[in-house]
Amino acid sequence: TGEVFADDAWDTTLGDPSVVIAAFDTGIDIAHPDLSANMVGGFDASTGDDNPSAECSDSFDGRDVASNCPSTKPYRESHGTSVSGTIAAVANNGLGVAGVCPGCRIMPVRLLGDYASSGLSMAETFRRAVDEGAAAINNSWGPGFSLYFPLSTSERGAFQYARDTGRG
């Protein structure tokens, strides 16, 4: 199927730290040694707070049971960390992998969590990410997640806002 050919792109550039890519996903291990140097800002849209860290979940997310999670929610969210690494894991540090744009920054956004009444809507989440400097927004979740399919008017408006107000 498809290939990325990132090594060919790296002959031209490893990216630019002024380029911020928001990763909308599950929580992200913001202290991960292959990611922390490229993290900037971030927030948890599912709770409305400023902590996008991975949380414990009752849903298997590609990892084994986490020893520091309770038996009712035994798994640590991991998909957001994996996606963030694919986007901008630090290069040439002797750890793990290099992201496609290792010179770029990641804005971690925990979008896929247990929604609380204080959580942000999808439209509010897109607008906030743009307002906080996101040049691009990665969405590694399917349309089944949206409460409205096709997209609601507010979601369409937020996408238009991101396109018109963002980096261009």
Side-chain angles (χ1 to χ4, degrees), residues 5-152:
F5 300 106
D7 53 337
D8 292 338
W10 296 334
D11 289 340
T12 302
T13 184
L14 292 176
D16 183 328
S18 69
V19 176
V20 175
I21 303 161
F24 284 20
D25 212 299
T26 63
I28 296 168
D29 181 357
I30 59 176
H32 191 287
D34 223 12
L35 298 174
S36 61
N38 284 346
M39 291 287 167
V40 61
F43 57 95
D44 186 335
S46 70
T47 62
D49 66 30
D50 291 334
N51 185 357
S53 295
E55 294 189 7
C56 296
S57 173
D58 60 359
S59 175
F60 178 75
D61 187 31
R63 301 212 34 188
D64 290 330
V65 172
S67 62
N68 58 347
C69 287
S71 61
T72 55
K73 292 186 173 187
Y75 306 105
R76 175 75 55 196
E77 297 171 332
S78 62
H79 192 263
T81 302
S82 177
V83 167
S84 295
T86 301
I87 295 169
V90 176
N92 301 316
N93 63 354
L95 300 173
V97 299
V100 173
C101 189
C104 295
R105 299 284 184 244
I106 290 286
M107 176 190 295
V109 177
R110 183 173 180 261
L111 177 69
L112 307 175
D114 298 326
Y115 274 83
S117 60
S118 61
L120 301 174
S121 71
M122 188 74 65
E124 291 168 326
T125 303
F126 272 84
R127 289 178 183 274
R128 180 171 172 182
V130 170
D131 289 345
E132 293 185 12
I137 299 173
N138 180 80
N139 297 279
S140 293
W141 42 270
F145 174 78
S146 179
L147 297 175
Y148 306 100
F149 192 76
L151 296 173
S152 70

